[in-house]
């Protein structure tokens, strides 16, 4: 930059900021382009022009400006992160990730870098890495409501809405009503509650978001309309995200609530029935939906090898603390059954099938996982109305006896035992249930 051009440059920048203040993006772009021509190595002008171009959706042109700013001012990682954001906006997630990860390697304590990394890793299908970056970002900037909304978005999209709720709830409780970040965070909080099947809480957040931002930049009105439409048609089925979060939330209270308040006894009833049919000992057992391991306590004496799988990592942690299982992991039971065909003498499902509607697929999967002569022992709640099964108000499915028999027949499993039981109590009354043991032909 020559000494003659310097005043011109300053003048152009002043014009650009005036234009931005007045909301005249075209005039701002013209002034910034002139400033960049006068001083090609001025990172500030490059960065400001990049931001204008990005707002217009001209992502690759914007990325080029941020790249020039980064070259002019290499010590400032935010230029590289801006460039990465533009590349991500343009759909090039791998190039964006290369830039973001290099920036993070230089500044590992940059919360914005971790937020971007979380978004990019999610877009690249790296969910676990995305969640790790989201948690790091939250740790580095725990009070930043704007940042929290961005992190929350990743958490919800990555299937961890419970952590999003836990993060946003206290921040929103303390946010100033006029905080411009509040409306966006409320929209996100509503999305997290909706993913947890908490429709009323979601609706409350979205109404508050509309009050905070009547122009509705976050789309709360559209989300409310979709929620009302879903509620009018009876609500959605239970999703794995909902079940996982339900039990993650419940894990610390589960044993006390179930055994004391709900008089839960499905595991004991299953063990008695298994003894009645004479299963013997030395068995390879898979406890699907093992929860905190109450089933494991009952069947451990029958086991040569005891494995447990559950959707909820926090339930699995409690099961692990019992020290009973030879293998424990968090996953969907369908995948766990498919993992090792013909491997198990006994598949146990104590009070788990209540989270599944149609039983045919899980019976098929259990049949495939059993050794010849192996058994599938489970409890369900009994449906006596019309149709094969129904989602009850308790948000648990109940299944008709005929549906159990049909699903067993369809999977080629013989009914060795089928009896009415009360696996637990609800509202002071025993729940009408069924306990069955199905056997694969030898
Ligand atoms: C009511 S608890 C019963 C836990 C344990 N079987 C017992 O008797 O204490 C139901 C468990 O099933 C798990 N679960 C529900 N659907 C599942 C699925 N599709 N895959 C794996 N686990 C599931 C839940 O996470 C929860 O821990």
């Amino acid at each position: 930059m020559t000494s003659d051009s310097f005043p011109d440059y300053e003048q152009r920048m002043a014009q650009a900021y005036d234009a931005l203040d007045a909301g005249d993006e075209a005039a701002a772009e013209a002034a910034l382009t002139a400033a960049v021509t006068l001083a090609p190595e001025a990172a500030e002008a490059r960065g400001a022009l990049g931001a204008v171009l990005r707002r217009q959706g001209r992502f690759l042109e914007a990325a080029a400006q941020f790249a020039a700013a980064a070259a002019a001012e290499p010590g400032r990682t935010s230029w590289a992160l801006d460039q990465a954001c533009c590349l991500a906006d343009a759909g090039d997630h791998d190039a964006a990730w290369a830039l973001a990860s290099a920036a993070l390697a230089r500044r590992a304590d940059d919360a914005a870098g971790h937020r971007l990394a979380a978004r990019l890793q999610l877009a690249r299908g790296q969910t676990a890495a995305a969640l790790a970056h989201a948690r790091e970002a939250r740790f580095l900037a725990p009070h930043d409501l704007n940042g929290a909304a961005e992190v929350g978005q990743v958490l919800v999209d990555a299937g961890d809405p419970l952590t999003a709720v836990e993060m946003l709830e206290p921040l929103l409780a303390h946010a100033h009503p006029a905080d411009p970040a509040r409306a966006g965070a409320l929209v996100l909080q509503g999305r997290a509650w909706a993913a947890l099947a908490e429709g009323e809480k979601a609706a409350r957040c979205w109404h508050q978001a509309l009050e905070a931002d009547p122009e509705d930049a976050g789309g709360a009105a559209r989300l409310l309309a979709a929620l009302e439409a879903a509620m009018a048609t009876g609500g959605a089925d239970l999703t794995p995200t909902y079940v996982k979060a339900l039990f993650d939330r419940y894990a610390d209270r589960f044993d006390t609530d179930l055994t004391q308040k709900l008089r839960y006894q499905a595991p004991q009833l299953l063990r008695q029935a298994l003894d009645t049919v004479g299963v013997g000992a030395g068995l390879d057992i898979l406890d699907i939906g093992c929860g905190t391991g109450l089933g494991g306590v009952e069947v451990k004496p029958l086991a040569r090898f005891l494995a447990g799988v559950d959707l909820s990592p926090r339930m699995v942690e409690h099961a692990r603390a019992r020290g009973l299982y030879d293998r424990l992991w968090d996953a969907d039971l369908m995948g766990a059954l498919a993992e090792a065909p013909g491997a198990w003498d006994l598949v146990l499902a104590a009070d788990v099938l209540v989270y599944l509607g149609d039983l045919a697929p899980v019976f098929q999967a259990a049949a495939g996982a059993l050794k010849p002569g192996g058994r599938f022992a489970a409890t369900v709640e009994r449906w006596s109305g019309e149709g094969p099964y129904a989602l009850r108000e308790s948000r648990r499915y109940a299944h008709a006896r005929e549906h159990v028999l049909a699903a067993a027949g369809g999977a080629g499993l013989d009914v060795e035992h089928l009896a009415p039981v009360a696996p637990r109590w609800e509202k002071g009354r025993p729940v009408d249930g069924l306990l069955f043991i199905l056997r694969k032909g030898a």
Side-chain angles (χ1 to χ4, degrees), residues 277 363 367 370 372-377 404-418 436-442:
V277 300
F363 281 28
L370 288 173
R375 292 176 169 93
F376 178 34
V404 172
L405 292 173
L413 295 167
D414 300 326
V415 179
E416 193 173 25
H417 178 100
L418 175 63
F436 56 82
I437 300 175
L438 309 176
R439 189 152 195 204
K440 184 168 169 172

Side-chain angles (χ1 to χ4, degrees), residues 240 243-244 247 254 258 264 266-267 287-295 309-312 315 331-334 349-352 354-356 396:
V243 174
K244 170 175 174 287
F247 283 97
F254 183 82
L258 255 81
Y264 178 60
D287 184 4
I288 53 173
C290 63
T292 60
L294 293 172
V309 64
D310 199 284
L311 266 182
S312 156
M315 294 291 269
D332 191 283
L333 60 88
M334 291 297 285
D351 202 35
V352 174
V354 294
Y355 296 101
L356 302 175
R396 296 157 62 86

Side-chain angles (χ1 to χ4, degrees), residues 76-97:
R76 186 164 150 186
T77 43
S78 68
W79 297 132
L81 294 179
D82 285 332
Q83 185 190 353
C85 283
C86 293
L87 291 173
D89 291 342
D92 191 346
H93 295 114
D94 289 339
W97 170 244

Side-chain angles (χ1 to χ4, degrees), residues 182-205:
R182 196 167 151 266
L186 280 164
V187 171
L188 214 279
Q189 181 77 327
R191 284 193 54 212
W193 280 127
L196 296 170
E198 295 281 3
E200 282 177 21
K201 289 180 181 163
R204 203 175 313 134
C205 288

Side-chain angles (χ1 to χ4, degrees), residues 93-371:
H93 295 114
D94 289 339
W97 170 244
L99 276 171
S101 55
L104 271 180
R106 284 189 284 138
R107 280 285 311 273
D109 61 346
D110 185 337
H114 283 287
R115 286 198 293 272
L116 176 61
R119 215 155 47 82
L120 292 172
Q121 289 293 56
L122 191 62
R124 300 170 77 238
Q126 305 292 323
T127 309
L131 287 171
H133 282 293
R135 292 187 185 120
E136 188 65 19
R138 176 188 169 199
F139 170 77
L140 288 168
H143 306 299
D144 172 3
L145 193 56
N146 247 331
E150 200 181 324
V151 170
Q153 171 101 35
V154 170
L155 292 168
V156 171
D157 292 344
D160 190 3
L162 181 60
T163 303
V165 163
E166 288 171 345
M167 173 184 68
L168 286 165
E169 198 84 324
L171 288 178
L172 281 166
H174 294 109
H176 190 279
D179 186 333
R182 196 167 151 266
L186 280 164
V187 171
L188 214 279
Q189 181 77 327
R191 284 193 54 212
W193 280 127
L196 296 170
E198 295 281 3
E200 282 177 21
K201 289 180 181 163
R204 203 175 313 134
C205 288
W206 292 332
H207 281 297
Q208 287 174 3
L210 277 172
E211 273 168 37
D213 173 22
E215 290 187 8
D216 193 19
R222 184 178 41 80
L223 289 164
L224 267 171
L227 179 72
E228 275 157 22
M231 283 178 155
T233 56
D237 284 350
L238 301 184
T239 62
T241 303
Y242 162 75
V243 174
K244 170 175 174 287
L246 173 72
F247 283 97
D248 272 349
R249 266 196 283 173
Y250 201 27
D252 291 342
R253 291 186 284 124
F254 183 82
D255 288 9
T256 336
D257 273 16
L258 255 81
T259 49
Q260 292 174 13
K261 286 196 208 152
L262 300 175
R263 305 197 204 177
Y264 178 60
Q265 47 176 350
Q268 295 85 339
L269 293 168
L270 281 162
R271 173 63 201 274
Q272 283 165 19
L274 288 166
D275 289 345
T276 310
V277 300
V279 286
L283 307 178
D284 293 329
I285 302 178
L286 175 62
D287 184 4
I288 53 173
C290 63
T292 60
L294 293 172
V297 173
E298 295 300 323
V299 298
K300 178 70 178 173
L302 310 176
R304 178 177 73 143
F305 185 88
L306 177 60
V309 64
D310 199 284
L311 266 182
S312 156
R314 295 190 198 172
M315 294 291 269
V316 168
E317 272 170 38
H318 284 269
R320 186 161 284 119
R322 289 187 196 276
L324 290 174
Y325 290 84
D326 299 295
R327 183 184 172 206
L328 270 171
W329 74 112
D330 57 280
D332 191 283
L333 60 88
M334 291 297 285
L337 287 169
E339 196 179 279
W344 306 104
D345 296 299
L346 174 64
V347 171
L348 187 75
D351 202 35
V352 174
L353 303 181
V354 294
Y355 296 101
L356 302 175
D358 184 3
L359 293 180
V362 66
F363 281 28
Q364 287 280 358
L370 288 173
K371 296 181 191 176

